[in-house]
Amino acid sequence: MKCNFSAALSDFLFEYETPRLVLVKSKRVGIVCRLIQLIVLAYIIGWVFIYEKGYQISDTAISSVFTKMKGVGYTEVNGVERVWDVSDYVFPDQGDSSFVVMTNYILTPGQKQGKCPALPGKHNCQSDKDCEKGDYKRTGHGQMTGKCVQENKTCEIFSWCPIENDAVIPDPPLLMSAENYTLFIKNSITFPDFGVVRSNLVEGVDNNYIRHCLYSESDPFCPIFRLGDIVTMSGFTFSQIASEGGAIGILIDWTCDLDWQLKHCLPVYNFHGLYGNGNKEDDSAASMGYNFRNAKYYMEGEVEKRTLTKVFGIRIDVLVRGLARKFDIIPTLTAIGSGVGIFGVATVLGDLVLLYVLPRRNFYKNKKFKNASNDEEKSVLQRCKTETEPVKE
Amino acid sequence: MKCNFSAALSDFLFEYETPRLVLVKSKRVGIVCRLIQLIVLAYIIGWVFIYEKGYQISDTAISSVFTKMKGVGYTEVNGVERVWDVSDYVFPDQGDSSFVVMTNYILTPGQKQGKCPALPGKHNCQSDKDCEKGDYKRTGHGQMTGKCVQENKTCEIFSWCPIENDAVIPDPPLLMSAENYTLFIKNSITFPDFGVVRSNLVEGVDNNYIRHCLYSESDPFCPIFRLGDIVTMSGFTFSQIASEGGAIGILIDWTCDLDWQLKHCLPVYNFHGLYGNGNKEDDSAASMGYNFRNAKYYMEGEVEKRTLTKVFGIRIDVLVRGLARKFDIIPTLTAIGSGVGIFGVATVLGDLVLLYVLPRRNFYKNKKFKNASNDEEKSVLQRCKTETEPVKE
Amino acid sequence: MKCNFSAALSDFLFEYETPRLVLVKSKRVGIVCRLIQLIVLAYIIGWVFIYEKGYQISDTAISSVFTKMKGVGYTEVNGVERVWDVSDYVFPDQGDSSFVVMTNYILTPGQKQGKCPALPGKHNCQSDKDCEKGDYKRTGHGQMTGKCVQENKTCEIFSWCPIENDAVIPDPPLLMSAENYTLFIKNSITFPDFGVVRSNLVEGVDNNYIRHCLYSESDPFCPIFRLGDIVTMSGFTFSQIASEGGAIGILIDWTCDLDWQLKHCLPVYNFHGLYGNGNKEDDSAASMGYNFRNAKYYMEGEVEKRTLTKVFGIRIDVLVRGLARKFDIIPTLTAIGSGVGIFGVATVLGDLVLLYVLPRRNFYKNKKFKNASNDEEKSVLQRCKTETEPVKE
């Protein structure tokens, strides 16, 4: 037994098994097989490795964005002129990655809690019994008091009075000057797996450059954007979007091959309208109309009042997408391994040609196969064969 | 030499090598081997390809969300009635993906900077020496003046006075009406690699539909949600969450197979409580209690005053997850390749049976193996064998 | 024909093909081959499986963050003392994942719309003709009225007056006390594919623990952080960052192996400065200087006024990265499969040694290869050989 084992071991160690092959000197089969192998090889090297970089692992980025608007707006509404600076027209003010630039507005000053007739069309009534006390519409402005105001045939409601009337949107938009505002984007990106940190203030983009540059085809790395340009590049016309508002996505795309120097890891800025459904026309259509209400509260003596502003504006979402790739041994070997596997296919195909296509297939068959069978187990197929056609050798 | 080379080349090109095989006509081995091969094949086709879609590459989405609440609230606190509209009860107001709907509050009007006794329990004292001037508690409201107010046995502090007393939380919550508010979610999603843009306003969800629909089992694509339903679907009871606040995540799940038409790429809405620790009971428990303080500042003459509101509310985070998959040649061939590799296992197992299990194993061994060895290198194993059992052929 | 088919089928089923092998009893080749095989095996098991966990699939997390600051600030500016509580110094107030803690500020009270001379240096002028009416600078504060104010040689502009003068930044920063503020982070994380929900309030972190703990090396799971510590850990000095502001990223890193118990899935907190360009010195430099303007509006009679605050502060972004891994059959078999493929390489290399290195290579060649060729197709190479060197056997 012991002998058996140690023997088996030494055999296993010092013995080498290699398959016995038939050498077929046939141009046809040779060419076919080599061709297939060549294709496989080309695929593995050319496609997997060079084109798809199959030898790399990837890491998605964690990112942080800070934005800052600059510019002054000016309006003159029936004689009253007003300037608007950043703290007036940007919401929120602390420089989020998602913010709104006001381009148009409907002002309802001096609102205070009280009773006033609803807007025409909202709560129409003929008599008080049409206005059920305490009832309200989801889309309404307040709660019915149960009184029907005969003057304008609407129920009286308890609400912030006077009620905002947003029937008519100022056109042309009041803050067309917004077109010349500029947006400064600071974007910091981290690839945790690779321990790489990058900023969109890449090499060459220093304070001096920033002071003068403006993003454009020719300055693709300048982090300062003119609002008008952003709108145009995302496929809108400014006047159109400014009046009713809209939403725009600024996609900062980092696709980095870290097998190269870090300085080649650069951001690409894309601009597109949001909230569409893929189809371009609808897209702009659906994106149209971004607004929200902002209230500024103040006390007048003991009475709380507020200035309600319906803000139409351009909502800008800065979206960041970072993907870094780097050489790694695992995917490399996996690709090779599965490649070698595919190589096996070449032989299979080659055999098909050899054993079923070529005229001398039976000759090759006998060379390739060796029957390990006693007669009683003799292959039915061969018996058939012998009857049909004599194997010529 | 030259001859050698060109010859070698022509040989390499026109020569085909194929392994020589032993044909074993044995039902047992045959079945075993075919079975194994069948399993492998079933795995590759059935599992990798059909079930796991191993032939596809995936792309994660970049998304942008815009929310809008609608609805009117009404409160009557000791005789004073008040209506609350969106700008009153939503924070922040510009329609972020993460926002808070106020459902309950503690109001502290007319605060101004000054000196007042601390709340009982915060800075208790017997005499002035218990109140060190300039000292303060991290969780306190201000800085001690060094004086001990005998009336209520607490240190006097310099702070916003009067100090908010949030000992008792209004119950039932003041804004139970919030249950009927509705939330409109606009979600735009982009798959950069595939260049696909989608919105949750999918086919059939047009302005007309939106005006009337409400999200439910039967309307799974309506982007309008009743706040009460959201709370229920995330496993809370409204009254419970409304009084002390809580956090809810609305997960919009896009799982798209882009080998099909785009219109089959649809959102799925999930609702769950946040800030739990996985365990359901604790979950709701931990999620309970979401609040923050909001201050409205105003001037009274030269004096800055503020109205402090401790806001209890439902914090809603709209989280988006997009994963699109599409056919690609690389994963397909990798799967096939590694599959072919696994096929090799079949042969290995077959051989084991053939050479170590079957009674006629030695017969097969001789057929399979050909010894290329001179006597002095003769296998130890065989010598052992010959001693133990005579090889019968 | 029928016979043929059924025969072929039965053959296919009950026939087993196994390659014929040459057994070479050669220590050298044996060792070489076994060695290669060993390496491949070591790679597959040791590296792919144990080290890289190649048998697992991964899922990235969806996360939601809620933050809450605590602490009181105190300032005394030329005699006027003031306390600052959370609602005064945190922007925004509802506890976002990205927020700003004010550490320094420039106050411009009582601004109202009107005409006043521009700041020196902005719109210098000698006479009115230097000030074109209606013109404005992008970085300016308002619109020129066309008048040149001789006193201070600048154009008169229509703007919020008085104009903020941010020439000198208060140093030392007014709110150094911010160093002792504390930040409480609630982070909820979801792995949709695995249906796992976790919170950073992990096992053992209960309300009782939270009340007293503070994050540190020794308390790595305490979700309460001292602002001063955060700044230090991210490589800044507090006084430096406090005066001009800066941006800090708190990265919560979840790397979970869900083949283990869930309780081992724990967060790791990292702190680093943002908006740098990778290079450490520049990094801190670039991060320096975070500020924005916040306006508090109020009415004085009919006149709208505002208190403008230029806020310098520490902007904190809580970034979450979740990656969970779990056993799955697909990657496992893919790894094995491609591994088996790589095994093939062993044989290839073994053959090279056998057929081209060893002295008795020709002997082995004849054993391995069987010529299936008629003389007229005889290999050129062999003819060459026979001329050059006689094959010794």
Side-chain angles (χ1 to χ4, degrees), chain B residues 170-238:
Chain B
D171 199 12
L174 297 163
L175 282 161
M176 275 302 282
S177 46
E179 195 164 4
N180 296 317
Y181 299 163
T182 56
L183 167 63
F184 173 42
I185 298 179
K186 255 186 181 176
N187 172 218
S188 167
I189 199 163
T190 314
F191 296 107
D193 292 350
F194 303 149
V196 170
V197 177
R198 281 288 276 176
S199 153
N200 67 330
L201 306 176
V202 294
E203 293 74 9
V205 180
D206 52 17
N207 292 332
N208 187 15
Y209 176 67
I210 287 174
R211 204 168 296 112
H212 303 98
C213 74
L214 196 65
Y215 176 87
S216 67
E217 292 294 313
S218 52
D219 287 357
F221 300 124
C222 176
I224 294 176
F225 306 81
R226 191 169 155 282
L227 193 55
D229 299 344
I230 294 174
V231 170
T232 318
M233 286 186 282
S234 52
F236 296 115
T237 62
F238 193 83

Side-chain angles (χ1 to χ4, degrees), chain C residues 250-265:
Chain C
I250 301 181
L251 171 54
I252 307 182
D253 201 332
W254 295 84
T255 310
C256 299
D257 184 339
L258 296 180
D259 294 336
W260 299 85
Q261 278 171 292
L262 197 56
K263 72 164 192 276
H264 294 115
C265 176

Side-chain angles (χ1 to χ4, degrees), chain A residues 25 85 88 94 193 199 384, chain C residues 3 276 290 297 306 321 377:
Chain A
K25 295 225 176 19
D85 65 9
D88 297 327
Q94 75 271 9
D193 293 350
S199 153
C384 292
Chain C
C3 160
Y290 177 94
Y297 298 85
R306 73 177 194 185
R321 171 175 178 255
E377 268 183 358

